[in-house]
Amino acid sequence: MAHKRIRKFNTKDTYPEQALDNDLCQVVVAKGTMVFVRGQIGQNLDTSENIGVGDVTAQAEQAMANIKMLLEEAGSELAHVTKIVIYIVDPRYREQVYRVAGKWLKGVFPVSTGIVVSALARPEWLVEIDVTAVIPDEG
C-alpha cells in the first residue's frame, strides 16, 4: 500500500523567494497507522498568513492548532501523539512553548525532544513543532 499524503505542496509555491522545487506534504500516513506531521509554525495553513509575529506563545498556539487539524484530517487525534519535537530559536522561549504544548497534550504523555536552532526557514518564525502519532486500531 502506498503512503497516504495529506495537503501536498511544492516548495517553489510555498517559498517563492527561494530557488527550491521539492514536492512535499503536511502529513504522511505510513502503513495505514503511523502519522508523521511536518513541522508546524505560526502560520494559517489555509491562508498562509503568519500568526503572532514576534510572539512565540501565539506561534506555538497556531502550530498546535495546525497539528490538531492535520491529525484529524489523517484520521488521528492529539491523544494519539507518540512523539513531539520542538525547535526554538532562543532558549528563553522554552518555558512559554512547553506550556502551550503541554496544554494541548495534557494526559497524552508523548516522548519529547527540544532543540535550540540558530534560525528557522523564515526569520519571523520563532518556533516549529512536529509530531508523530498513530491511528488506533478500530478492533
Side-chain angles (χ1 to χ4, degrees), residues 99-137:
R99 272 197 198 115
V100 170
K103 177 183 74 173
W104 285 82
L105 296 172
K106 189 73 174 164
V108 176
F109 302 101
V111 296
S112 174
T113 300
I115 303 169
V116 179
V117 296
S118 61
L120 295 169
R122 292 209 169 126
E124 62 270 22
W125 297 342
L126 306 174
V127 59
E128 185 168 332
I129 303 171
D130 72 62
V131 301
T132 304
V134 296
I135 298 174
D137 289 335

Side-chain angles (χ1 to χ4, degrees), residues 67-68 71-72 74-81 105 108 133-136:
I67 289 166
K68 178 182 186 300
L71 286 172
E72 290 170 355
S76 188
E77 60 187 54
L78 289 172
H80 300 296
V81 169
L105 296 172
V108 176
V134 296
I135 298 174

Side-chain angles (χ1 to χ4, degrees), residues 13-56:
D13 301 320
T14 305
Y15 304 103
E17 72 281 5
Q18 300 175 14
L20 299 172
D21 186 8
N22 303 91
D23 292 327
L24 301 174
C25 62
Q26 296 291 346
V27 177
V28 170
V29 179
K31 296 194 176 236
T33 59
M34 294 296 303
V35 183
F36 301 92
V37 179
R38 178 179 190 266
Q40 296 299 306
I41 40 78
Q43 188 175 60
N44 181 307
L45 289 178
D46 295 321
T47 66
S48 297
E49 173 191 3
N50 285 319
I51 306 297
V53 174
D55 182 347
V56 73

